[in-house]
Amino acid sequence: MNILLLGPPGAGKGTQGALLSQALGLPRFATGDLLRDAVKHGTPLGLRAKAVMEAGHLVSDDLILGVIRAELAKPVAAQGVIFDGVVRTIPQAQGVDELLRSLGRTMDHVLIFDVTDAQLLQRLAARRSVEGRADDDPAAVATRLQAYRQQTAPVISWYETHGGVTRIDAVGLVDEVAARVMRALGRA
Ligand code: AMP
């Protein structure tokens, strides 16, 4: 089963993706984590992505589709994947759709994490004080939210016409949101 988690930065995709991965026994794949790891290790991918990420912009579709292709080719991905924040533009949605189709698979569920702006800003400020991520500083956060609204929000309409989406109220305690996610997947 392939599941896409979609929502603005700070919506809780990472937390819920990890819980879902455990509950369903499927690997969680987050392009954000993979890119941060590449930056940390100074790989060619990391060198190309570093400045763009730190400013809060989106990395190019070509780079992203390359890493998704490589991830899907891994044996561990054969039973399905929790795609956590992996699709952020319409070309990426189209590219992932083609990749999955070439493997005889589909995106089975698209979950949209809904959070108010006030909640997002509060959560990102809290995360910054704990994790110290460069792209959680206020200027980069503003750019990331703008990128979400301009480039990622239209992806929701794309999936609405290509299989459908399920909206999750992502405000509340971690366990409450996790229960909503399981209900949305028909597993509660
Ligand atoms: P995240 O950890 O999901 O907030 O991602 C951190 C940063 O990685 C984003 O602000 C982008 O610069 C980059 N990134 C992660 N996933 C993607 C993607 N699918 N497309 C473009 N850029 C991405």
Side-chain angles (χ1 to χ4, degrees), residues 3 10 41 77-78 84 87 93 115 129 133 147 153 158 165 167 172 177 181:
I3 303 172
H41 291 98
D84 173 351
V87 176
V115 185
S129 64
R133 269 174 59 169
W158 191 89
V165 305
R167 287 190 175 270
V177 178
V181 169

Side-chain angles (χ1 to χ4, degrees), residues 38-82:
V39 169
K40 194 169 134 200
H41 291 98
T43 67
L45 172 66
L47 293 176
R48 289 180 70 183
K50 186 173 191 292
V52 177
M53 284 178 77
E54 285 180 357
H57 294 293
L58 292 184
V59 171
S60 77
D61 292 334
D62 279 359
L63 278 189
I64 294 294
L65 286 169
V67 298
I68 298 172
R69 186 177 295 109
E71 198 64 27
L72 277 173
K74 292 182 181 168
V76 70
Q79 300 307 314
V81 176
I82 316 281

Side-chain angles (χ1 to χ4, degrees), residues 156-180:
I156 299 174
S157 316
W158 191 89
Y159 278 113
E160 275 168 345
T161 55
H162 291 81
V165 305
T166 307
R167 287 190 175 270
I168 307 286
D169 172 5
V171 178
L173 298 175
V174 169
D175 288 353
E176 291 169 349
V177 178
R180 289 174 204 145

